[in-house]
């Protein structure tokens, strides 16, 4: 008699499968397997007994299933621990200076500091600042070497009103989509619906944690 047929007979005679709760862990699966194995041995055909190697194979399969079940439980516990540690870590970000990858900024009368990254040297670098109506101001940054270039947007000196602005960079070398970062200070941290941290930064609003490019020291010299 096969293991599968004994399992079907045992379920029919002794178990209400529709009402039985699912196995909760590897121990439950192991207990069920041993019960079915004993039933298989007791109900085998005496004239055609089951080969002992079949029992060994079934036991090996059950051990593998139990190990996978235990591993799944361990991974779930680890994921919960990581989430808790992330919550504790993000809470400590309040009040810290950060750099945020963004080409948008909200000006509120105070100077805004940032930096851009050049892949190649340029003889002429210009920062363009455009409002929602399409009006544009520029800041000439002159000749710059490859790498990080700091800049400051002073709304008063540029005659920029409070509001939302989009930033872009133009170089004489024709560089496109130059990466921009804006400096700010974390006011508060909120956990989003998907569990990811959202940082509230003046001038940038709520920023996903993964958009932060740098924390703490070595921010732009003008910051």
């Amino acid at each position: 008699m096969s293991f599968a047929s004994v399992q079907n007979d045992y379920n029919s005679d002794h178990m209400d499968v529709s009402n039985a709760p699912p196995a909760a862990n590897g121990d439950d699966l192991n207990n069920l397997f041993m019960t079915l194995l004993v039933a298989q041995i007791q109900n085998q055909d005496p004239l055609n007994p089951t080969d002992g190697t079949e029992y060994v194979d079934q036991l090996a399969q059950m051990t593998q299933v139990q190990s996978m079940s235990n591993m799944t439980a361990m991974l779930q516990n680890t994921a919960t621990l990581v989430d808790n540690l992330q919550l504790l870590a993000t809470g400590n970000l309040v009040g810290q200076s950060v750099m945020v990858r963004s080409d948008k900024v909200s000006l509120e009368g105070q100077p805004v500091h940032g930096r851009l990254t050049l892949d190649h040297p340029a003889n002429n670098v210009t920062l363009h600042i455009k409002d929602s109506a399409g009006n544009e101001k520029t800041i000439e940054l002159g000749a710059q070497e490859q790498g990080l270039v700091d800049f400051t947007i002073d709304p008063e000196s540029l005659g920029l009103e409070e509001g939302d602005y989009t930033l872009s960079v133009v170089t004489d070398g024709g560089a496109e989509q130059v990466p921009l970062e804006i400096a700010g200070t974390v006011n508060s941290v909120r956990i989003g619906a998907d569990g990811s941290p959202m940082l509230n930064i003046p001038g940038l609003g709520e920023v996903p944690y993964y958009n932060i490019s740098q924390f703490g020291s070595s921010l732009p010299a003008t910051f």
Side-chain angles (χ1 to χ4, degrees):
M1 179 180 292
S2 69
F3 179 74
S5 61
V6 171
Q7 180 178 358
N8 291 335
D9 292 342
Y10 185 83
N11 285 341
S12 299
D13 297 339
H14 302 282
M15 300 174 64
D16 182 354
V17 177
S18 62
N19 295 325
N25 52 46
D27 291 337
D28 291 341
L29 291 174
N30 188 56
N31 292 337
L32 176 59
F33 170 79
M34 295 305 298
T35 300
L36 294 175
L37 182 61
V38 170
Q40 178 183 357
I41 294 173
Q42 292 176 341
N43 291 278
Q44 65 180 328
D45 185 355
L47 300 179
N48 184 25
T50 303
D51 188 347
T53 57
E54 291 188 27
Y55 296 131
V56 175
D57 291 341
Q58 293 168 11
L59 181 59
Q61 293 175 10
M62 187 58 222
T63 301
Q64 184 178 12
V65 171
Q66 183 178 10
S67 297
M68 293 177 61
S69 176
N70 292 338
M71 184 178 296
T72 299
M74 291 177 61
L75 290 175
Q76 290 174 341
N77 291 337
T78 300
T80 300
L81 177 60
V82 170
D83 288 342
N84 291 338
L85 290 175
Q86 186 180 49
L87 290 176
L88 292 174
T90 53
N92 292 329
L93 295 178
V94 176
Q96 284 200 29
S97 299
V98 296
M99 294 297 295
V100 182
R101 288 184 289 266
S102 179
D103 61 355
K104 294 178 171 51
V105 64
S106 179
L107 299 180
E108 300 175 352
Q110 301 298 320
V112 171
H113 308 292
R115 67 188 177 197
L116 55 92
T117 304
L118 294 178
D119 291 333
H120 306 283
N123 292 322
N124 188 15
V125 180
T126 305
L127 176 67
H128 292 253
I129 309 164
K130 184 183 295 185
D131 65 15
S132 57
N135 301 315
E136 189 173 85
K137 296 283 187 177
T138 61
I139 298 177
E140 297 296 336
L141 299 175
Q144 298 291 340
E145 297 295 327
Q146 176 184 357
L148 299 176
V149 179
D150 296 341
F151 63 82
T152 299
I153 302 174
D154 186 350
E156 184 176 354
S157 63
L158 293 172
L160 297 174
E161 297 181 355
E162 294 186 1
D164 298 330
Y165 291 82
T166 301
L167 309 179
S168 60
V169 177
V170 175
T171 72
D172 61 342
E176 297 181 357
Q177 297 181 343
V178 175
L180 288 160
E181 299 167 274
I182 305 299
T185 302
V186 179
N187 268 4
S188 62
V189 178
R190 180 180 68 86
I191 304 303
D194 60 351
S196 60
M198 302 290 292
L199 281 60
N200 185 279
I201 302 173
L204 294 169
E206 278 200 333
V207 177
Y209 184 85
Y210 54 78
N211 276 359
I212 304 299
S213 59
Q214 184 176 333
F215 295 94
S217 61
S218 299
L219 297 179
T222 52
F223 182 75

